Amino acid sequence: MPPIKVLHGQPTPEELAAVMAVVSARAAAATAAAAAAARTAGGPVSTWADHASALRRMPRPGPHTWRTSTWAH
């Protein structure tokens, strides 16, 4: 987080602590919201969580289908 500068006035240490607590809480909430949005919008988080990859695709007809039909996909 970039440093915060006081441009006008003479805030007390308690006032600065209150401002820093609010700014830190807002930054943490924004980071958590961005992470949650990335998890839901981007698909699975990792390949371990991707259950669709466990489904085996059927071989497509083609000139070498008989040869590649036993290959793991």
Side-chain angles (χ1 to χ4, degrees):
M1 184 163 52
I4 295 177
K5 296 179 183 180
V6 177
L7 299 178
H8 298 288
Q10 298 294 327
T12 65
E14 293 82 13
E15 291 172 334
L16 284 177
V19 169
M20 289 303 297
V22 170
V23 170
S24 296
R26 294 286 304 247
T31 303
R39 278 193 308 271
T40 58
V45 176
S46 68
T47 54
W48 287 103
D50 185 11
H51 299 292
S53 67
L55 301 175
R56 182 184 167 106
R57 286 181 258 145
M58 295 300 294
R60 293 184 177 175
H64 301 289
T65 302
W66 64 272
R67 186 178 306 158
T68 61
S69 63
T70 59
W71 290 1
H73 290 274

